[in-house]
Amino acid sequence: MSEIEARPSNFIRQIIDKDLANGKHTSVHTRFPPEPNGYLHIGHAKSICLNFGIAQDYQGQCNLRFDDTNPEKEEVEYVESIKNDVQWLGFEWAGDVCYSSNYFDKLYDYAIELINKGLAYVDELTPDEIREYRGTLKAPGKPSPYRDRSVEENLALFEKMRAGEFEEGKACLRAKIDMASSFMVMRDPVLYRVRFAHHHQTGDKWCIYPMYDFTHCISDALENITHSLCTLEFQDNRRLYDWVLDNISIESQPHQYEFSRLNLEYTVMSKRKLNQLVTENLVEGWDDPRMPTISGLRRRGFTPGSIREFCKRIGVTKQENMIEFGSLESCIRDDLNENAPRAMAVLDPVKVVIENFDAENVETLTIANHPNKPEMGTREVPFSRELWIERDDFREEANKKYKRLVLGKEVRLRGAYVIKAERIEKDDNGEITTIYCSYDAETLGKNPADGRKVKGVIHWVSADKGLSAEIRLYDRLFTVPNPAAADDFASTLNPSSLVKVNGYVEPSLASAEAEKGIQFERTGYFCLDNKDSSANALVFNRTVGLRDSWAKIESN
Ligand code: ATP
Ligand code: MG
């Protein structure tokens, strides 16, 4: 990461400070453990910034570990996208990528150890019966009739499970803990189940797969993780995490800490729901710029720095809350306001003809790339007799508040001359087709000599030299702040979350780089689309408007 980003403290950092001060640990080792069953989203970014950020700041290490115990739902495509997204966010994992499946042999041995200690048994209740026997929050569970099998019998049956002699759902390995525990997770949780499924890392070697709770703590211990950070819904599972590690022969004792997950207004964060949007073609893919995925935000024009800044601003606590969408947008706006070069683009064009400008002539103007940053240089912008301006920047009549072009009045063209609207031409529908203007040749970079005051400034693109472009105007994907709470979240999709318009951009944008933010003057921040744009069919995505148009008080 190039820039220095001081990260604020939080309760987890305070715990780490204490653990280092009192010698419980001499170094810090964290991990980020995604399940490769979807693309990463902005919620994962919170966990990534926390885990990798802590490793960076304490000169420790952070592993990237694929939590791949669910062979059916996982795909190599997801593994690749996740690696890519973590690196794009600016982080580097320690050593090789880890997979929980790397530990399947060891996990099997630890399961045998628990059986030998009389702490695990093979159960032949059906999944439904197991659920029924487990009891409820109010009523204790009851023991399975298979609970008191001998060690020998359990060893033999577990071996049969592994050998493929049980059908799916006919047998599982359970920990023998406490069927009356007030923590449901402690009521003899399942440790292994039978699945005849091909695994993207281990192929067909296994037909039994370990459960998350058994796998995660052991993987942490095997990797010498010191602080295992996860979201609050795993709070109760910490009992099981500790129970497993306390009852097997493993030295390392990682500790689990929980923080609240990120919830963001006007979007959904569950991978199941995001997957549904993709498979039902409600969006154009995981990297659709309206998606809260890292790849979607990237394609939309968000920078890694803006996402890290967002994660820093939201902080890390144990309080559940809902973050305003505007706070994510303000991070990218702040970044691009500083760093994006300016350019001109007309999204809803109407023709201007400057009648006293020679039709053969094209003048090359030099315009600063950033109003406050001369170090960002200048670019050449052609000025010609025919131009495009925004339809909304012209009125036949207007009051004094309207500081744009009005019939019979003057306005300045950004970086160019003062023009005056002389007359207009309309089509049969009464729509203006052309605004005929005159220009004052003495006003390039200076005010009119006779002291005439020209207040407004509008942007423009040369009609001769400008490039046509498709411009995609993105808005929030949902119409309600909490779509996940709706009966059918897909019914709350925003029908105008994407509006495509055809406009014109200044020729310098022919060399725009995909994903790199540009401010289209007076319009918003945009970037070249990383998928659909080509040299003869430019496509730009709106990252964010110049101001928060959803904010209650509008500034214009
Ligand atoms: P889902 O339940 O939607 O499938 P998940 O939490 O199971 O999501 P994982 O791939 O297991 O997704 O997540 C990897 C890590 O990212 C976990 O440590 C998880 O706690 C964390 N994480 C996931 N979603 C969020 C979120 N919204 N805010 C913060 N951390 C998150
Ligand atoms: Mg998970």
Side-chain angles (χ1 to χ4, degrees), residues 37-213:
N37 62 349
Y39 280 60
L40 296 183
H41 54 59
I42 183 79
H44 292 113
K46 173 176 178 172
S47 176
I48 292 170
C49 289
L50 176 65
N51 281 295
F52 285 93
I54 281 175
Q56 276 179 346
D57 294 353
Y58 288 89
Q59 280 91 50
Q61 297 198 299
C62 181
N63 292 2
L64 173 62
R65 183 201 311 143
F66 287 101
D67 195 356
D68 56 349
T69 55
N70 235 335
E72 293 99 333
K73 291 192 203 151
E74 298 165 357
E75 285 179 31
V76 178
E77 176 196 350
Y78 299 134
V79 169
E80 292 309 314
S81 76
I82 290 170
K83 290 197 276 194
N84 200 33
D85 287 348
V86 170
Q87 286 175 324
W88 180 78
L89 276 173
F91 298 107
E92 205 46 67
W93 49 87
D96 292 337
V97 171
C98 304
Y99 294 87
S100 296
S101 57
N102 290 348
Y103 315 130
F104 280 175
D105 285 308
K106 288 182 175 144
L107 289 161
Y108 183 79
D109 291 343
Y110 287 121
I112 301 273
E113 180 181 352
L114 289 179
I115 295 174
N116 275 317
K117 287 177 170 166
L119 293 174
Y121 61 97
V122 173
D123 197 0
E124 289 173 69
L125 290 180
T126 65
D128 282 343
E129 287 167 331
I130 290 179
R131 209 167 302 126
E132 190 189 314
Y133 275 59
R134 187 171 285 132
T136 64
L137 281 173
K138 292 199 183 103
K142 58 180 181 183
S144 162
Y146 304 100
R147 194 172 199 260
D148 290 319
R149 286 175 150 154
S150 69
V151 168
E152 290 67 33
E153 200 182 350
N154 280 316
L155 287 173
L157 290 169
F158 190 45
E159 180 50 37
K160 274 180 77 174
M161 277 174 63
R162 165 161 133 136
E165 291 171 32
F166 280 105
E167 284 171 41
E168 292 189 6
K170 296 287 187 210
C172 64
L173 184 75
R174 298 180 69 177
K176 194 169 177 178
I177 309 180
D178 178 4
M179 288 307 291
S181 173
S182 53
F183 296 99
M184 297 296 282
V185 292
M186 298 301 271
R187 295 187 186 174
D188 290 12
V190 174
L191 304 180
Y192 265 91
R193 73 247 199 265
V194 177
R195 282 282 179 280
F196 291 95
H198 184 83
H199 189 283
H200 56 98
Q201 299 297 318
T202 58
D204 297 315
K205 177 174 177 190
W206 296 91
C207 65
I208 55 171
Y209 288 95
M211 303 298 286
Y212 170 87
D213 283 314

Side-chain angles (χ1 to χ4, degrees), residues 32-35 41 43-44 47 231 259 261-262 269-271:
F32 172 64
E35 187 179 345
H41 54 59
H44 292 113
S47 176
T231 38
F259 62 95
R261 52 171 55 226
L262 167 65
M269 217 74 92
S270 127
K271 275 188 277 185

Side-chain angles (χ1 to χ4, degrees), residues 333 519-525 544-548:
R333 209 178 271 123
Q519 185 192 104
F520 287 176
E521 297 235 23
R522 301 179 59 239
T523 305
Y525 295 99
V544 69
L546 291 178
R547 286 172 228 97
D548 186 354

Side-chain angles (χ1 to χ4, degrees), residues 340-345 369 379 467-471 505-520 525-541:
R342 275 46 173 171
M344 291 191 284
N369 285 332
R379 65 190 191 282
L467 308 170
S468 75
E470 175 179 315
I471 299 168
V505 301
E506 60 170 72
S508 72
L509 292 179
S511 58
E513 260 178 77
E515 299 169 11
K516 279 210 98 156
I518 305 157
Q519 185 192 104
F520 287 176
Y525 295 99
F526 293 76
C527 71
L528 195 75
D529 187 67
N530 65 14
K531 250 189 175 165
D532 298 339
S533 193
S534 65
N536 40 18
L538 297 173
V539 177
F540 288 91
N541 296 328

Side-chain angles (χ1 to χ4, degrees), residues 188-399:
D188 290 12
V190 174
L191 304 180
Y192 265 91
R193 73 247 199 265
V194 177
R195 282 282 179 280
F196 291 95
H198 184 83
H199 189 283
H200 56 98
Q201 299 297 318
T202 58
D204 297 315
K205 177 174 177 190
W206 296 91
C207 65
I208 55 171
Y209 288 95
M211 303 298 286
Y212 170 87
D213 283 314
F214 184 62
T215 311
H216 202 84
C217 53
I218 297 177
S219 304
D220 282 347
L222 290 170
E223 292 175 12
N224 290 309
I225 300 304
T226 54
H227 299 80
S228 179
L229 312 176
C230 66
T231 38
L232 281 176
E233 67 274 18
F234 291 102
Q235 215 156 9
D236 286 356
N237 303 56
R238 187 180 351 113
R239 266 85 194 165
L240 181 51
Y241 185 104
D242 291 340
W243 182 92
V244 171
L245 294 182
D246 285 347
N247 286 294
I248 60 173
S249 321
I250 202 160
E251 253 176 57
S252 172
Q253 284 290 332
H255 201 287
Q256 176 186 303
Y257 299 93
E258 308 89 19
F259 62 95
S260 60
R261 52 171 55 226
L262 167 65
N263 300 304
L264 191 61
E265 284 185 345
Y266 297 98
T267 190
V268 291
M269 217 74 92
S270 127
K271 275 188 277 185
R272 194 180 54 74
K273 292 196 172 72
L274 294 174
N275 194 35
Q276 188 182 334
L277 293 175
V278 174
T279 53
E280 294 180 8
N281 294 317
L282 299 169
V283 294
E284 282 160 28
W286 284 97
D287 65 350
D288 185 303
R290 293 165 293 182
M291 290 281 270
T293 52
I294 307 293
S295 50
L297 291 167
R298 170 182 184 169
R299 188 169 171 199
R300 173 95 169 237
F302 279 72
T303 59
S306 68
I307 294 176
R308 294 195 300 264
E309 173 64 21
F310 173 69
C311 292
K312 184 166 117 185
R313 290 187 194 173
I314 57 177
V316 176
T317 68
K318 278 180 161 306
Q319 264 73 56
E320 291 287 1
N321 61 0
M322 187 69 121
I323 305 289
E324 284 178 25
F325 200 81
S327 53
L328 177 61
E329 291 180 330
S330 75
C331 292
I332 185 61
R333 209 178 271 123
D334 290 353
D335 180 339
L336 295 179
N337 182 36
E338 269 303 291
N339 300 313
R342 275 46 173 171
M344 291 191 284
V346 174
L347 275 50
D348 181 15
V350 64
K351 177 75 68 72
V352 161
V353 174
I354 301 173
E355 291 179 292
N356 59 342
F357 194 90
D358 181 0
E360 303 301 307
N361 187 18
V362 175
E363 206 170 310
T364 301
L365 305 177
T366 301
I367 301 184
N369 285 332
H370 194 291
N372 315 322
K373 290 187 151 184
E375 66 276 19
M376 284 178 70
T378 58
R379 65 190 191 282
E380 296 193 334
V381 183
F383 184 84
S384 55
R385 176 183 165 94
E386 298 202 356
L387 310 171
W388 299 112
I389 66 167
E390 301 283 354
R391 188 164 288 280
D392 193 41
D393 280 341
F394 175 77
R395 297 276 156 90
E396 290 178 67
E397 284 172 66
N399 63 23

